[in-house]
Amino acid sequence: MPLNNLLVRFAALRKQTEYICAPLNPEDTGLQPSEDVSPPKWHLAHSSWFFEYFILQPYKSSFTPYDPRFFTLFNSYYEGAGQRTIRGNRGDLSRPTLDEILRYRRHITLEVSSLIESNTLSQNALERIELGIQHEQQHQELLLTDIKYILSKNLIDVALFDIGECLPVKKGDNPIVIEEGVYEIGFNGPGFHFDNESPKHKVYLNSFKLSAQLVTNREYLAFIRDGGYTNPHLWHQEGYHWIVEHNITSPMYWRNDNARMYTLNGECDLPLDAPVTHISFYEASAYAQWAGKRLPTEAEREIATPKLNVGERWEWTNSAYLPYPGYKAWEGVVGEYNGKFMVNQMVLRGHAISTAPDHGRKSYRNFFHPHLRWQFNGIRLAYDS
Amino acid sequence: MPLNNLLVRFAALRKQTEYICAPLNPEDTGLQPSEDVSPPKWHLAHSSWFFEYFILQPYKSSFTPYDPRFFTLFNSYYEGAGQRTIRGNRGDLSRPTLDEILRYRRHITLEVSSLIESNTLSQNALERIELGIQHEQQHQELLLTDIKYILSKNLIDVALFDIGECLPVKKGDNPIVIEEGVYEIGFNGPGFHFDNESPKHKVYLNSFKLSAQLVTNREYLAFIRDGGYTNPHLWHQEGYHWIVEHNITSPMYWRNDNARMYTLNGECDLPLDAPVTHISFYEASAYAQWAGKRLPTEAEREIATPKLNVGERWEWTNSAYLPYPGYKAWEGVVGEYNGKFMVNQMVLRGHAISTAPDHGRKSYRNFFHPHLRWQFNGIRLAYDS
Amino acid sequence: MPLNNLLVRFAALRKQTEYICAPLNPEDTGLQPSEDVSPPKWHLAHSSWFFEYFILQPYKSSFTPYDPRFFTLFNSYYEGAGQRTIRGNRGDLSRPTLDEILRYRRHITLEVSSLIESNTLSQNALERIELGIQHEQQHQELLLTDIKYILSKNLIDVALFDIGECLPVKKGDNPIVIEEGVYEIGFNGPGFHFDNESPKHKVYLNSFKLSAQLVTNREYLAFIRDGGYTNPHLWHQEGYHWIVEHNITSPMYWRNDNARMYTLNGECDLPLDAPVTHISFYEASAYAQWAGKRLPTEAEREIATPKLNVGERWEWTNSAYLPYPGYKAWEGVVGEYNGKFMVNQMVLRGHAISTAPDHGRKSYRNFFHPHLRWQFNGIRLAYDS
Amino acid sequence: MPLNNLLVRFAALRKQTEYICAPLNPEDTGLQPSEDVSPPKWHLAHSSWFFEYFILQPYKSSFTPYDPRFFTLFNSYYEGAGQRTIRGNRGDLSRPTLDEILRYRRHITLEVSSLIESNTLSQNALERIELGIQHEQQHQELLLTDIKYILSKNLIDVALFDIGECLPVKKGDNPIVIEEGVYEIGFNGPGFHFDNESPKHKVYLNSFKLSAQLVTNREYLAFIRDGGYTNPHLWHQEGYHWIVEHNITSPMYWRNDNARMYTLNGECDLPLDAPVTHISFYEASAYAQWAGKRLPTEAEREIATPKLNVGERWEWTNSAYLPYPGYKAWEGVVGEYNGKFMVNQMVLRGHAISTAPDHGRKSYRNFFHPHLRWQFNGIRLAYDS
């Protein structure tokens, strides 16, 4: 990739992150109403810390930290990078303020830009910059989901962005059919990929069919009205305990007895033809059980990708997030990026309206704990031939 | 009291509250790092709500609410005033923003001022305004203690105000001696008082002595160094369990192995001659036990008041917060102000450097749960003759 | 007291404790379904440990422990007596078994009896034996309340004892009137008393009236039917939060929509004329508020004692459990008996059908946390003249 | 299988369960010191309930329940079987007593024996009896692990059984090598199997090597001494948080600074050559990471089975417990046996010294949450060729 291109991409990336936060007031940017959610201010700072820690520090000559305290404040979970703020305490930090963090961002943007322009970077360094870009794209998506969650806690309705949450589901030729056999999955190309997508390897798949379109709110309403949330036989035991304990009877952000829905663009009537969104793995699995079908595995979903319209919602698979055969985490501190999370989480495939453009890939593995709903998660059904 | 005087007092009150918040950034004003602490933004709004709900609504002709949602948002604990935000959720509200709340404040200030100037208010209404002033003075003190707590959670030291936290203890002629006999306590005058201070009534006191000065940090350090925090015999059982469970080994805000102290004016060396502050009732009581003395009762403390220098720190007494004989809560919704808290709390007497001037009284009863430390609480010792 | 008398009392005491446990199966004796409740096996052992630790160890020549591990196992809360089992873990101990504990009891009974018969005991030692007797009487009452609680958790109804839970309330000449003045309360006699009952001291009481009889189930039902449990204005704020959080809508052990009641003698129809029992301080206080009256203070209750039929239910007072003026805890480890609990608890006066005969006294101070209901607690109302 | 044989197996099964409980005192049989552990009394009853509910009720003519309340009391987790006791409340039930439960067992044993002898049972019914036998064998293993856990909570050491916990690890020819290719896994035979073992299906395996023997206590000690429990880089993030939160620094039941070990036969010196046992998946995985190897997948472990000495400890695999391609849960209420647990658990393969003889199979899938340690779990290492 020509450096000029990298410079342009980097600049666009940084601006895009700030653009997402532009309509926020300073008060919006510091709150953490759930441990899973981070304050927008923190995302702005952490994605800058990532460049400072992993690129400027090792690759810039005569590097001095912008503020040594930021190394602790904005380290997310890298044990190898020294001390860090406990995740649940991110919302306790009123300082640095939003303005101070934006100043920090500008500084890091300039420094990294200069480094790129210097035209002296090794291949290794360039790959790290690419990682920093991919990382910040992930935080752009988290910013959208976290801002949505934070603003949803207000009693006062706020409309920020229309990212297409109410658009009807894309139709396709149903069903997609895949024949039995040995297939190859995992990253298989040039270009960037995360360590968890490799090595590519062979898997044996039975024949199966996959729905060409996502489950809609209308279909999910039928499940609810048929008593889906009160029938334990449709659920994993843990899922059923979870909905009982948390009194969950519909997707997150549905309101007024399922007549209304909260979006980043404010509250609206429930869009019946849009893909059902903000459901947990437990709910996705119970819905599939009710429909007499099942969730696909991640290998099935990957093999079928060329035949699918993608990019509406992250799709829960029935695959646990585990290492591929022969998996090796990256060397060094970045090795903590993916590998240490490979237990108790489920894989999601595809991508969503909230995902940064060009961020997804056929082999991309997203992962979350099965009860989490604040991402733009949806359902695609599979069944055996 | 001449109306003009009331108008001036009201204007000064409202300005003072805003003055306390002036050095804060918007990000500082929305956080609630502990359920006991409220966001400064919330204090600014709630103390305005109090005037709107209890004065404008009943006494202003053709009253319309500024924003009906604020009635729910900023009601603290008045069941009789309809719905309210759960206390622990105050920190989830990014909207209304600080600016919007300051606008709300200005509106309420103007409306109440006009009402006062109208010169048409009944005695009842004037008393309610006085209550609103006293109420907001209490929140001025809470603003100081809550701002201190909120900023203390940052890794970045912030200096805002010098309210005299490091000044040495005031000396007095030791000890104060009170003879046995029947005394009268409770509010006994003209002017404002809370319902919990009345009726005045007789109590029988044995003779006792009271220290003329508060316990200092130097004295408290001696208690620590003598193993005070590891000797269960000095403690209430619940207090000892509490310090073990929370790993408490010194007053709140002491740092660096008791060499440094965090204040509203930033971190400083521990001022050895200043009154020990930010200790729980449990710690106050354990210290007294160690010193071979005891905490006074609230009746003892009230009777001795004329002989004391007061106003340094709130003083824990060994009296539970209970109704006086013949106590009647105020009529109506304001009856919830004090009466419903009369269980499981301990009385503090005197007042503190954080208390609004002219807010205290000889008969004033402050009360908190015995484990709470974020107020400016200190220790005065008593003993039997 | 002649020694022979002491020997007889001691023997009767020990038999009575075992008599209470006689109808239990070994399985009943080891469970601890709530931290407040102790396994019957533990009571049998702990009341023996008390004699071993506080009487045999100091006063018996050439004392050797029955089993040194029992010193840790059966120490309740005496920090000065060395290690102990954490209260909440009492139900984890299947060994020693009931048989082994009964053997231990017999050994201690014999040893203490021999010591008494030896006729060599100092006045101090004799007083300690008296304390051991009083202590075991308290555990006899706890055995009844804990057995009741433990068996109530079964789906299978068990009838053990009829202690008169369904007897109608005793009637008296209403109301009892006490005139204003200085009174003396606290222990004032020869004979045994706990340290918390002394010193006797003067109090000033306003005139007041006291109901000659306890509140009945019928009266309490009227409170329930009038919406008592859903009207926050009747409650302490903490009490109301507590009933909401725990979904409490009637006294403990009421069943079948308040038609039935669980007793130590099995389930029966709700006895409408019996005293309401197993209510918390919060409920007692809310009932009094609803009835337009109040709970008495402990001083009021003590002064009125000679005019009352007593001994039906422990009566919640509105007095916090605090030291009397000039209170000194006993010297040594027994000093932990009462003093260290003097915070966050409320005093109950009188005694109950579950109390050992001759255990109560006019000056007796029982105390429990305000939410606790498993004791035989009831309500007597007071009001101002 | 000839009926006579079934009768003998059934009788032996029932006796074996009672034999395991024979050395217990009634007090031992009712406790539940952790929600994962069930009281031995409950196992005795539940394994009888299983025969009553699933065999006698549908297949015995003119069936009447032994005690209808037992249907609720001893239903474990079958939503389709009506009401049940909440798992965490099993330890609250002192009644029925051990004797009453043994009487219930005898009744069920006789009834099922008669049914078998009647020689009228359909193939379906016979398969259900086989399931009842397999089910009770699983509870025999749980009895051993639960009894071990329950007795370990005592301060008093108890020796019950020697099941070979201290025997040295079995040696084998290292390493076992498996070549790349398509393999078939899953149940493939005549005879009993659980639904989760089928259907058999093809998997693609890369070549790999497997250790012929389990990791020993000596080897695990080296991991500990090398700082294994304090090096976050070896752990899953959740595993590391878990050991920090629970202060875990060695396998369960290791005592005295890893010099001693608690067994069902009492405490002994740590047997250095015995397989490390009672470790969580997190610990197994961290050990493998430290050793530069990895845990096998369940498919790898199954394919290698014919080359292994098995039956020492359950072996944690790195496979999540998920349905096989084409998995169908059994029809009806028994369909809840396995399928509803297929999330958030990890598979263990092989079997253990605690497993009933002839209970295991090459295709057998055991599963537990990754933090659980009270089973006889161990470690076998794999690595890539």
Side-chain angles (χ1 to χ4, degrees), chain B residues 237-238 340-341 344 369, chain C residues 233 237-238 340-341 344 369:
Chain B
Q237 191 195 44
E238 294 188 11
K340 71 183 184 184
F341 302 107
N344 277 343
H369 286 95
Chain C
H233 297 294
Q237 190 194 44
E238 294 188 12
K340 70 184 184 183
F341 302 106
N344 277 343
H369 287 94

Side-chain angles (χ1 to χ4, degrees), chain D residues 177-183 205-209 303 307 385:
Chain D
V177 180
I178 305 287
E179 295 306 319
E180 182 173 9
V182 172
Y183 290 88
L205 297 186
N206 289 351
S207 65
F208 67 96
K209 294 179 182 162
I303 293 306
K307 306 189 175 184
S385 297

Side-chain angles (χ1 to χ4, degrees), chain B residues 304-323:
Chain B
T305 299
K307 306 188 175 186
L308 293 171
N309 291 319
V310 293
E312 297 178 282
R313 299 294 183 275
W314 287 103
E315 301 166 26
W316 284 111
T317 73
N318 205 43
S319 295
Y321 179 53
L322 293 168

Side-chain angles (χ1 to χ4, degrees), chain D residues 229 235 242-251 283 371 373:
Chain D
Y229 280 90
W235 297 77
W242 175 78
I243 62 167
V244 168
E245 184 183 345
H246 295 89
N247 194 23
I248 284 172
T249 58
S250 62
E283 289 162 293
H371 68 287
R373 316 206 295 171

